[in-house]
Amino acid sequence: MPSYFSPCRTFALVSLFAVLSTNALARSSADYLPPDAALDPAIPTPESVLGWEVGDWHVSHDKQYEYMRTLAEASPRVSIKVTGHTYEQRPLALLTITSEENADNVEDMRSAHLDGDRDAPLVVWLGYSVHGDEPSGANAAMLAAYYLAASDSAFVNELLAGTIVILDPSLNPDGLNRFASWANSNAGAVPVGDPATREHWEPWPTGRTNHYWFDLNRDWLPLVHPESRARMTEYQRWRPHVLTDHHEQGGYPGFFFQPGVPTRQNPLTPAENLELTRALATYHARAMDEAGQPVFIEEAFDDFYYGKGSTYPDINGGIGILFEQRGITGKVLETSNGVETFRTAIANQLRVSLSTLRGSWELRDRLKNHQRTFFAEMAEAGSRASQAGWVVGDDGDPARARAFLDVLERHQVEYHALQETLQPSGQSFSPGNAWFIPSAQRQYGLVRALFEQRTSFEDETFYDVSAWTLPLAYNLPFAALRQAPRTADPVQSSNGLTPSADAPAWLIPWNQVEAAATLQQLLTAGARVRTAIKPFSVQTGSALTGFESGTLLVQAGIQDEDALPTVRELLNEAALSGVAVYSAQQTITAVGPDFGSANFPIIKPVKPLLVGGDPTRSYNAGEAWFVMDQRLAVPTTVVAFDRLPTIDLSNYTHLVIPDGDFSKADPAMLARISQWVMAGGVTVAMARGANWVEGLCFEADPAVCQAEAEASDEEQEDAEAPPSKPYASHDADVARKTIGGAIVRTTLDTSHPLAFGYPRSQLPIMRVGTVLLEESKNAYATPVRYADAPLMAGYIGEERLEQFAGQPAVIAEKRGNGLVVRFADNPIFRGFWRGSERLFINALYFGQAVKATELPQ
């Protein structure tokens, strides 16, 4: 391990951090800052706007934003830009800080930087508190901005003359505000360090996540949320040489800064990245040593998944740095280090912000050269790669392909429209429906990261997912090509035909990603919509058109007279947005069931009840809420699990149970749910929630269920004790048994309503965790099963692979008039697994169409 603490170099720090060693006594902003700051009294301090000193209270987003605006108005060095808004309509602010002389030429300097001009400025991005309940960063951001705006020190003047600092004070405004409200409203006049006090225990879902309870620090690649999309636009506009990502952690006594575990670095990241990260670490180490703060490096965390803030720059020619301060959730906290203060945490985040600026400035030539050569070398590597690029088809769903291509565009990945028909690996790609992503481009490293299906790794321990192949997430057909095909510039696809107003019926194929939202709009408007249980063909216009199971049928003659104009208007709007809407010329089909048959059951409006609160996992609950609320526009009632006994379930059509630890749940709740299902309710349960509902009892005599449960418990108790192993092998064994996130192959029964809309019998899904489903006794109730050789990308230990290979992935059992749907995995993973998302949506709308399939005795 390299020595970060030896005085092997001379640092011209001018005691930059000496005063910060007395941070526990700090009151004013000046007390946090270096003694040579030479602060301009005309620049407003944070306390002059907040009304209290930084660290006295947890800053809310509105107060932080107010200060940043005030600072920008007062300082010619600072400009502020609102790049977007959160779901709760909080502004996403971004500060640009440079010398007054540079301020009028920032755009020219940015262009010179992007062009690789050697005289262009250094660009450093400081990003704070993507997790809202890790607030020391967001509070320190005000001090960092103030220091850069107000200091007349020789260092700051030199720095800003040759540097543009991009400061993102709050990457997650909604989460920050949620946490600040909790912490401040539970703080006493006398600080309490007891970890058990209410101030230190923010309730579910906590301020870590955004409005929909998503972890935004996993969204740098998928770009699902407005916070991430706005940030990525600015990131690619600037392409910083260095980016900091300020966090907190509760598992270690010291402050962590990168590098992390070297063997867990993504192999696509150049070796020089690690060298530069280590070089910058010497500056952080010196700063923290001078303050007497304990630190550690290279023992935890990793740089493998490029969807995190500290890792994304590594594949974009920059250096990403993760900082992890020991979390002080209130004002003081009793820890193994003694009583630590919120001020200490803020001061530490400020220290490493300033050490980053100092180190980046002194290493500026190396950092600039690294980015210049990075993109040139990536383009060169792409031109020499064994594959010329990848071709991706739209799978008959242009909207899903457009969503995929939108992600590529936001990452500035180059792609072209296919101009010739290709048939690699038994697949077919044709012009107008496919695109070519060349290897020979500046973003080759990122492209490869998005398309590769790696299954072997140097280190088998992962901090996050081990695979994220983007076309698999969207379930789009793709293939690597050894030779570049003929291509053209991509063009926006044309809209579909306008539905005929006097048609007796309209048809919407269900394979389209936007079909479900259209269905919900129709149901909300009071339309009567049916779905096809079997394939059929009917005359549309001058052609005979075939339609698959799941196709939506809207018949003009059965609509209420006052609703029909709205129905026609909604269908027209859907067609204009790109949804394929066909006008049938008659209701008697040429092939398959006629529209008036029982093979077109009515789809009843859905009214879901989503279970949240402890013990559910907020991420999974948020994903379900997001899909139903944002993508489908379904009014969704969210109820805490402990309130379920008080809820009249008969008011709802669906009960959505996310992942969670239900081991201590009251068994009486299962009895209530069982009765509701028998009466016609549909239960949709995921991961450990699916295991919990396996305890639902549908026997006339509950004693039968109890006896089966006891027999199962006895089998587990009779299991043999494992053989002894070396104590030191524990961590490696845990890694082999953990599935942090890998892509697996499943096979579909496309005749089952839960698989309607899928053109192929294979579906990639993300497997996280080790949940196994209890096999159904009904031979027709397993629409999705893991393949015998399931691993497509990522890491899963051999023992775990053997356990679930060929096992059920989704089970849908008819119980009385209702249905119980069990997902072993999360089909709506992080909101970007658009391929398997359809399974969840089908459970909502088509679960009611699943019929009883018991064979006669």
Side-chain angles (χ1 to χ4, degrees):
M1 182 181 298
S3 174
Y4 296 99
F5 309 100
S6 60
C8 57
R9 318 184 29 166
T10 300
F11 295 87
L13 294 179
V14 196
S15 299
L16 186 62
F17 308 102
V19 73
L20 298 183
S21 63
T22 60
N23 59 78
L25 303 176
R27 295 295 297 176
S28 69
S29 296
D31 290 330
Y32 281 99
L33 298 174
D36 67 341
L39 300 170
D40 182 350
I43 303 301
T45 64
E47 57 265 30
S48 70
V49 175
L50 300 176
W52 36 268
E53 278 82 11
V54 174
D56 281 356
W57 296 93
H58 288 263
V59 72
S60 59
H61 180 262
D62 59 315
K63 296 297 287 186
Q64 186 205 58
Y65 178 58
E66 180 185 0
Y67 175 67
M68 296 303 184
R69 288 184 59 189
T70 302
L71 191 66
E73 291 172 1
S75 172
R77 296 176 176 177
V78 182
S79 63
I80 189 169
K81 176 182 183 180
V82 174
T83 63
H85 289 81
T86 70
Y87 290 109
E88 296 175 20
Q89 295 306 299
R90 291 188 172 87
L92 297 164
L94 199 66
L95 276 64
T96 302
I97 307 175
T98 189
S99 69
E100 184 175 355
E101 293 73 22
N102 291 338
D104 292 334
N105 301 309
V106 165
E107 281 303 303
D108 291 340
M109 296 172 72
R110 183 180 68 83
S111 296
H113 159 58
L114 296 182
D115 290 341
D117 189 332
R118 294 181 181 275
D119 295 326
L122 175 74
V123 180
V124 179
W125 183 301
L126 304 178
Y128 298 93
S129 299
V130 69
H131 297 146
D133 62 353
E134 299 171 4
S136 56
N139 283 265
M142 296 182 292
L143 296 169
Y146 171 62
Y147 175 64
L148 293 173
S151 176
D152 193 37
S153 69
F155 170 68
V156 171
N157 284 324
E158 181 184 6
L159 173 75
L160 295 184
T163 305
I164 295 176
V165 178
I166 307 298
L167 194 146
D168 192 340
S170 174
L171 281 75
N172 179 8
D174 292 349
L176 180 71
N177 224 64
R178 190 185 314 141
F179 176 79
S181 177
W182 171 264
N184 291 336
S185 63
N186 286 281
V190 178
V192 178
D194 183 353
T197 194
R198 179 175 167 85
E199 183 181 9
H200 299 300
W201 286 92
E202 186 189 13
W204 192 101
T206 80
R208 177 182 178 88
T209 49
N210 77 343
H211 176 79
Y212 284 101
W213 313 329
F214 277 70
D215 186 341
L216 292 176
N217 198 40
R218 303 297 184 270
D219 198 38
W220 282 72
L221 279 183
L223 301 178
V224 171
H225 301 286
E227 300 94 334
S228 305
R229 293 194 294 269
R231 185 186 334 111
M232 186 52 59
T233 297
E234 293 304 312
Y235 182 94
Q236 292 295 347
R237 283 188 73 245
W238 283 106
R239 286 186 220 152
H241 298 101
V242 176
L243 177 144
T244 65
D245 189 19
H246 294 256
H247 289 254
E248 294 176 13
Q249 49 80 21
Y252 306 93
F255 188 104
F256 170 84
F257 48 82
Q258 284 178 316
V261 180
T263 56
R264 299 184 203 165
Q265 181 158 302
N266 195 300
L268 297 179
T269 301
E272 188 183 29
N273 179 282
L274 180 58
E275 295 169 7
L276 284 165
T277 303
R278 283 173 168 161
L280 286 168
T282 62
Y283 293 83
H284 313 320
R286 169 64 69 90
M288 298 296 278
D289 269 0
E290 289 189 356
Q293 292 294 308
V295 300
F296 69 105
I297 42 84
E298 299 199 16
E299 296 180 43
F301 305 101
D302 65 32
D303 272 334
F304 189 80
Y305 172 49
Y306 286 128
K308 299 184 297 183
S310 61
T311 312
Y312 183 79
D314 297 347
I315 199 65
N316 281 273
I319 308 297
I321 306 175
L322 172 66
F323 293 121
E324 292 277 358
Q325 159 65 36
R326 172 65 179 262
I328 312 297
T329 48
K331 294 182 180 180
V332 298
L333 183 67
E334 297 168 5
T335 75
S336 61
N337 294 330
V339 176
E340 298 188 67
T341 71
F342 186 42
R343 296 183 192 284
T344 305
I346 294 171
N348 282 343
Q349 298 282 21
L350 177 62
R351 283 188 188 96
V352 294
S353 298
L354 303 189
S355 64
T356 297
L357 294 172
R358 172 71 68 173
S360 298
W361 179 245
E362 295 192 0
L363 298 171
R364 60 191 179 278
D365 291 339
R366 288 181 63 187
L367 291 166
K368 291 180 185 180
N369 184 66
H370 170 69
Q371 187 168 102
R372 277 194 303 270
T373 58
F374 175 89
F375 287 120
E377 289 174 357
M378 282 297 175
E380 173 63 21
S383 67
R384 292 185 284 101
S386 59
Q387 73 285 331
W390 290 264
V391 62
V392 179
D394 71 2
D395 203 29
D397 184 4
R400 181 155 38 103
R402 282 198 301 271
F404 169 82
L405 295 173
D406 178 68
V407 175
L408 297 186
E409 287 179 13
R410 291 179 185 276
H411 290 297
Q412 295 198 348
V413 169
E414 175 188 342
Y415 66 90
H416 306 282
L418 191 67
Q419 288 291 95
E420 61 177 297
T421 298
L422 302 173
Q423 294 183 323
S425 306
Q427 302 181 85
S428 181
F429 301 90
S430 58
N433 306 105
W435 299 265
F436 175 66
I437 298 88
S439 294
Q441 61 170 292
R442 175 178 64 83
Q443 287 288 55
Y444 170 66
L446 182 60
V447 170
R448 185 173 168 188
L450 292 173
F451 280 78
E452 72 174 2
Q453 294 178 251
R454 187 185 299 271
T455 56
S456 61
F457 305 88
E458 178 183 357
D459 194 313
E460 297 172 346
T461 300
F462 298 90
Y463 185 72
D464 199 75
V465 295
S466 58
W468 52 87
T469 312
L470 198 63
L472 293 181
Y474 281 77
N475 193 29
L476 293 172
F478 74 108
L481 301 178
R482 298 187 64 85
Q483 183 176 346
R486 294 196 306 274
T487 62
D489 291 336
V491 295
Q492 183 69 36
S493 58
S494 59
N495 296 326
L497 296 174
T498 301
S500 172
D502 57 357
W506 301 277
L507 300 162
I508 302 173
W510 189 246
N511 68 305
Q512 304 174 93
V513 75
E514 297 299 335
T518 302
L519 168 61
Q520 182 58 38
Q521 288 179 324
L522 290 166
L523 293 176
T524 300
R528 294 184 178 89
V529 184
R530 298 181 182 276
T531 187
I533 298 299
K534 296 181 178 180
F536 64 95
S537 298
V538 71
Q539 196 76 23
T540 61
S542 59
L544 183 67
T545 307
F547 295 90
E548 297 298 324
S549 302
T551 297
L552 302 180
L553 167 64
V554 184
Q555 294 172 281
I558 67 170
Q559 307 302 322
D560 291 341
E561 186 175 348
D562 57 350
L564 190 55
T566 301
V567 170
R568 291 192 178 109
E569 181 180 352
L570 289 173
L571 292 172
N572 284 334
E573 291 175 354
L576 288 173
S577 71
V579 176
V581 181
Y582 293 84
S583 301
Q585 291 189 350
Q586 58 200 45
T587 61
I588 298 294
T589 63
V591 179
D594 297 327
F595 292 174
S597 80
N599 286 296
F600 286 91
I602 199 81
I603 302 174
K604 299 175 183 177
V606 300
K607 186 179 180 182
L609 177 68
L610 172 62
V611 179
D614 288 329
T616 66
R617 191 166 187 262
S618 61
Y619 289 174
N620 192 201
E623 289 155 350
W625 183 26
F626 172 79
V627 169
M628 291 187 287
D629 188 52
Q630 281 286 322
R631 293 203 168 135
L632 301 178
V634 174
T636 303
T637 301
V638 184
V639 172
F641 182 77
D642 61 9
R643 288 195 58 226
L644 267 185
T646 70
I647 302 299
D648 184 354
L649 297 180
S650 66
N651 291 327
Y652 304 94
T653 61
H654 291 69
L655 181 63
V656 179
I657 303 174
D659 183 32
D661 181 3
F662 299 92
S663 58
K664 297 180 181 178
D666 185 354
M669 194 63 244
L670 289 172
R672 290 191 68 229
I673 296 173
S674 300
Q675 294 172 2
W676 172 77
V677 169
M678 292 294 287
V682 177
T683 294
V684 180
M686 293 173 275
R688 290 173 295 171
N691 284 161
W692 182 61
V693 301
E694 287 173 351
L696 295 173
C697 182
F698 300 100
E699 299 289 343
D701 182 2
V704 174
C705 298
Q706 181 64 28
E708 291 178 353
E710 291 175 354
S712 177
D713 292 341
E714 289 177 3
E715 288 181 9
Q716 294 180 11
E717 291 175 2
D718 292 340
E720 294 183 7
S724 297
K725 288 188 173 185
Y727 176 82
S729 68
H730 172 264
D731 290 350
D733 289 344
V734 168
R736 282 189 285 271
K737 287 181 174 289
T738 299
I739 304 178
I743 304 171
V744 299
R745 182 182 294 105
T746 65
T747 57
L748 304 176
D749 171 8
T750 55
S751 71
H752 195 286
L754 259 68
F756 284 176
Y758 285 106
R760 295 177 300 282
S761 61
Q762 283 196 359
L763 175 68
I765 65 174
M766 176 63 80
R767 181 153 174 80
V768 179
T770 58
V771 168
L772 298 173
L773 299 182
E774 183 181 294
E775 283 270 14
S776 175
K777 297 177 182 178
N778 187 320
Y780 310 97
T782 306
V784 188
R785 191 175 285 275
Y786 297 111
D788 291 336
L791 185 61
M792 299 182 75
Y795 173 75
I796 299 178
E798 287 298 326
E799 181 181 343
R800 291 300 191 196
L801 271 175
E802 292 175 4
Q803 283 180 342
F804 75 87
Q807 296 298 305
V810 183
I811 293 175
E813 294 175 302
K814 192 73 176 177
R815 298 294 190 180
N817 293 320
L819 187 74
V820 178
V821 181
R822 291 181 280 140
F823 288 94
D825 300 294
N826 173 12
I828 47 180
F829 181 73
R830 292 182 180 170
F832 84 102
W833 218 259
R834 303 303 303 270
S836 58
E837 175 185 274
R838 186 186 308 278
L839 293 172
F840 177 80
I841 292 173
N842 285 355
L844 290 178
Y845 293 111
F846 296 159
Q848 57 191 279
V850 175
K851 66 179 183 179
T853 52
E854 297 292 337
L855 292 175
Q857 297 297 319

